[in-house]
Amino acid sequence: MKIFGHKPTVTAWIGIVIVGIFVLAAIFAPWIAPYDEADSVSATWSPASADFWLGTDNIGRDLLTRVIYGARTTIGVALITTILSFLLGTTAGLLAAVSSRAVDQLMSRVVDVMLSIPLLVFALMILSMFGSSLFTLVLTIAVLDSTRVFRLARSVAMNVVVLEYVEAARLRGEGLPWIIRREILPNILPPMISEFGLRFCFNFLFVAGLSFLGLGIQPPLADWGGMVRDNSRAIGFGMPAPIWPALAIALMTIGVNLIVDWILSINARPSGASAEM
């Protein structure tokens, strides 16, 4: 089986399997979870049993159910955030690359100012002022993360803009939208696809981190970062309740990174004439 025209390596398959399991759990959560995500079904921090495979949390909710529903919430928010940040950042980066020097400098300096403020501090300030609704959370992280995407999109697009076929398109009288869509965008896709995986990982961990601090996804929605925070006191009693969501965060991060490493290795391979030398 080939993906992107290449056979996945063993490590890539491990990543695909890990991510696939979590994605399926997120999609089919209402059908595979044994209980509702907000139902208290037993005593606080009950041990693992036939009824509760991973035990229960700080208010008696089934941890397996919460982990399954947490996949839907945490992965879904991170994915939507990453898609939005790429739409914003890539669009702005391409416009900066093909526009006049004055426009490019203005957009770049605005991004530099935003990048000069630590991301976590910036996010905490905005979320403290406007609240932690899902809409505010997604929009805040997407806008802040789009500055990183802007830098990469502008950098790789600047290398393409000066090539002969782009100049030929300009001389033919093609407009900027056509040049961006047909000449530049297809030629910057490989590094942007790799960056998408990396940015997803970052946003995924960032969402979980904000939830751990109490400013991310709010109860009663299940989310892995919030589950670690809610059950952190169980460690003092020798109970593994916070380990399961933390393990889910780690596995998802590892799985995505294994896939991204494989994609990066494909993009790094020589092709065409250089491959024959």
Side-chain angles (χ1 to χ4, degrees):
M1 179 180 177
K2 293 186 177 182
I3 304 175
F4 301 126
H6 297 268
K7 289 184 177 180
T9 61
V10 174
T11 55
W13 273 120
I14 294 173
I16 292 169
V17 170
I18 292 172
V19 173
I21 290 172
F22 282 124
V23 169
L24 289 175
I27 294 172
F28 298 105
W31 293 276
I32 62 177
Y35 304 96
D36 186 78
E37 65 176 318
D39 284 350
S40 294
V41 292
S42 183
T44 299
W45 292 324
S46 296
S49 64
D51 293 324
F52 315 111
W53 290 6
L54 302 182
T56 60
D57 68 0
N58 60 314
I59 57 175
R61 295 170 298 193
D62 180 53
L63 272 172
L64 177 60
T65 297
R66 299 284 290 174
V67 168
I68 292 173
Y69 274 98
R72 166 177 284 192
T73 309
T74 310
I75 296 173
V77 170
L79 182 60
I80 293 171
T81 299
T82 307
I83 292 172
L84 183 56
S85 73
F86 260 73
L87 288 175
L88 295 173
T90 303
T91 302
L94 291 175
L95 288 175
V98 300
S99 299
S100 64
R101 181 173 177 80
V103 173
D104 177 32
Q105 287 297 312
L106 176 62
M107 296 177 71
S108 297
R109 298 296 78 79
V110 170
V111 168
D112 288 343
V113 170
M114 295 181 67
L115 287 172
S116 68
I117 304 173
L119 185 63
L120 181 59
V121 174
F122 210 155
L124 290 176
M125 181 176 62
I126 295 174
L127 293 173
S128 297
M129 289 189 298
F130 297 103
S132 299
S133 67
L134 276 180
F135 176 79
T136 305
L137 179 67
V138 169
L139 187 61
T140 298
I141 300 176
V143 171
L144 296 179
D145 190 58
S146 66
T147 56
R148 275 78 179 167
V149 181
F150 170 88
R151 295 290 293 272
L152 177 65
R154 176 185 174 276
S155 177
V156 294
M158 292 288 281
N159 293 330
V160 176
V161 165
V162 297
L163 298 178
E164 290 83 356
Y165 56 84
V166 177
E167 290 298 324
R170 291 181 188 270
L171 293 174
R172 289 199 309 268
E174 304 290 357
L176 284 181
W178 190 94
I179 293 174
I180 291 174
R181 187 178 70 255
R182 299 293 297 274
E183 300 290 0
I184 300 176
L185 188 57
N187 290 286
I188 68 170
L189 279 180
M192 297 306 294
I193 291 173
S194 301
E195 181 69 8
F196 184 91
L198 295 173
R199 298 319 305 172
F200 171 81
C201 257
F202 173 82
N203 289 330
F204 172 77
L205 292 172
F206 196 53
V207 168
L210 287 175
S211 296
F212 181 79
L213 295 174
L215 288 172
I217 300 167
Q218 298 299 309
L221 291 175
D223 113 275
W224 293 338
M227 290 172 65
V228 175
R229 179 199 66 216
D230 293 341
N231 295 283
S232 58
R233 290 185 296 113
I235 290 291
F237 299 100
M239 298 174 181
I243 293 177
W244 305 120
L247 182 61
I249 293 171
L251 285 175
M252 184 66 185
T253 304
I254 292 170
V256 173
N257 275 302
L258 290 175
I259 297 173
V260 171
D261 285 344
W262 171 60
I263 295 174
L264 286 172
S265 71
I266 293 174
N267 294 334
R269 293 172 189 168
S271 59
S274 61
E276 299 172 1
M277 295 177 62

